[in-house]
């Protein structure tokens, strides 16, 4: 551990915050938070970084809240208007760079929209389940290649395993699905899936929506 170095990095990031790109600041915040250096750095400079990242998070949260009803409106639109609505949503959402928020704020945003992040023994159980499910998943385009090529492509693929449980607000009726594994790849351009393809897009440019 080098607490002196971390204090210097935080100080310089705070002093030059308007000269840095957003990702650099978020990377510093993530490193300090996950590395357990918060108590070692200067509170004034740290608060400057936290205020900046908090504003970025709030802008993303407000935008998602304001557009929460958009998926319900899409079926009533014509194909042309639906395509325009999804395109506009994607362009606006891309400006927030949700993946670039870092784990802490991304987790906070996911929990805000209803995603439950497991902890402790529940997390260990889910991790084992996800590993078992992920073993056999294949990208559709990879199946056309020979066995050796498919093995090599495993290194280039990110596997996302998910499950969900949806309940009506009045408590009458529920739906559950999963665990289901999907691989990263080109984003799905279907209009009815556009919102999810944008929100869950993989950092290499592929989509984790299906």
């Amino acid at each position: 551990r080098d607490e002196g170095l971390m204090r210097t990095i935080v100080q310089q990031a705070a002093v030059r915050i308007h000269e840095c790109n957003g990702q650099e600041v978020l990377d510093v915040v993530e490193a300090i938070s996950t590395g357990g250096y918060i108590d070692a750095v200067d509170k004034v400079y740290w608060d400057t970084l936290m205020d900046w990242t908090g504003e970025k998070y709030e802008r993303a949260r407000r935008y998602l809240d304001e557009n929460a009803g958009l998926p319900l409106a899409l079926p009533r639109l014509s194909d042309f208007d639906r395509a325009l609505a999804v395109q506009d949503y994607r362009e606006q959402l891309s400006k927030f760079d949700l993946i670039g928020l870092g784990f802490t704020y991304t987790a906070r945003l996911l929990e805000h929209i209803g995603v439950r992040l497991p902890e402790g023994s529940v997390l260990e159980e889910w991790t084992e389940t996800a590993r078992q499910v992920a073993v056999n998943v294949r990208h559709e385009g990879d199946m056309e290649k020979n066995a050796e090529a498919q093995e090599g492509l495993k290194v280039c693929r990110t596997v996302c395993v998910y499950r969900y449980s949806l309940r009506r607000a009045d408590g009458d009726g529920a739906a559950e699905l999963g665990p289901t594994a999907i691989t990263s790849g080109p984003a799905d351009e279907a209009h009815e899936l556009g919102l999810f393809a944008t929100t869950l897009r993989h950092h290499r440019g592929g989509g984790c929506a299906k």
Side-chain angles (χ1 to χ4, degrees):
R1 292 174 63 87
D2 192 335
E3 295 184 354
L5 174 62
M6 292 303 175
R7 280 195 294 271
T8 300
I9 291 175
V10 169
Q11 177 183 352
Q12 290 301 308
V15 171
R16 301 174 178 274
I17 192 168
H18 297 297
E19 300 176 21
C20 303
N21 65 50
Q23 190 58 55
E24 290 173 341
V25 177
L26 289 165
D27 287 345
V28 170
V29 171
E30 189 74 4
I32 298 298
S33 300
T34 59
Y37 287 100
I38 295 178
D39 293 335
V41 301
D42 189 296
K43 186 176 186 302
V44 173
Y45 296 127
W46 178 248
D47 287 347
T48 298
L49 299 186
M50 292 305 294
D51 288 344
W52 185 91
T53 54
E55 290 177 6
K56 180 178 175 66
Y57 166 80
E58 284 299 323
R59 287 196 299 270
R61 182 196 61 77
R62 285 196 299 270
Y63 185 76
L64 290 177
D65 285 349
E66 291 168 359
N67 291 275
L70 185 56
L72 299 178
L74 291 179
R76 298 193 296 269
L77 301 177
S78 67
D79 290 345
F80 180 76
D81 288 339
R82 187 184 305 132
L84 288 180
V86 172
Q87 180 180 356
D88 181 63
Y89 179 90
R90 286 180 170 179
E91 290 177 353
Q92 292 297 320
L93 194 60
S94 66
K95 297 178 181 178
F96 297 114
D97 187 16
L98 299 187
I99 298 300
L101 284 173
F103 174 79
T104 302
Y105 283 100
T106 300
R108 182 177 169 187
L109 188 61
L110 289 173
E111 290 177 328
H112 174 70
I113 62 177
V115 177
R116 295 182 180 178
L117 303 179
E119 299 179 347
S121 60
V122 177
L123 175 59
E124 294 177 0
E125 179 182 350
W126 169 246
T127 299
E128 181 59 31
T129 298
R131 285 174 177 168
Q132 294 175 5
V133 174
V135 169
N136 297 319
V137 67
R138 295 288 186 276
H139 189 274
E140 293 179 2
D142 297 346
M143 299 304 293
E144 301 174 358
K145 301 175 175 61
N146 59 42
E148 291 77 9
Q150 290 186 39
E151 287 299 313
L153 284 168
K154 286 182 180 179
V155 180
C156 303
R157 298 295 184 194
T158 297
V159 179
C160 174
V161 180
Y162 69 91
R163 65 184 176 193
Y164 69 76
S165 176
L166 300 178
R167 296 184 182 278
R168 291 171 51 120
D170 57 13
D172 184 18
E176 296 186 2
L177 178 67
T180 302
I182 56 176
T183 61
S184 60
D188 196 323
E189 295 298 327
H191 298 151
E192 64 271 19
L193 299 179
L195 304 182
F196 303 100
T198 297
T199 305
L200 301 179
R201 183 167 45 210
H202 185 262
H203 65 87
R204 283 200 297 266
C208 285
K210 196 173 181 67

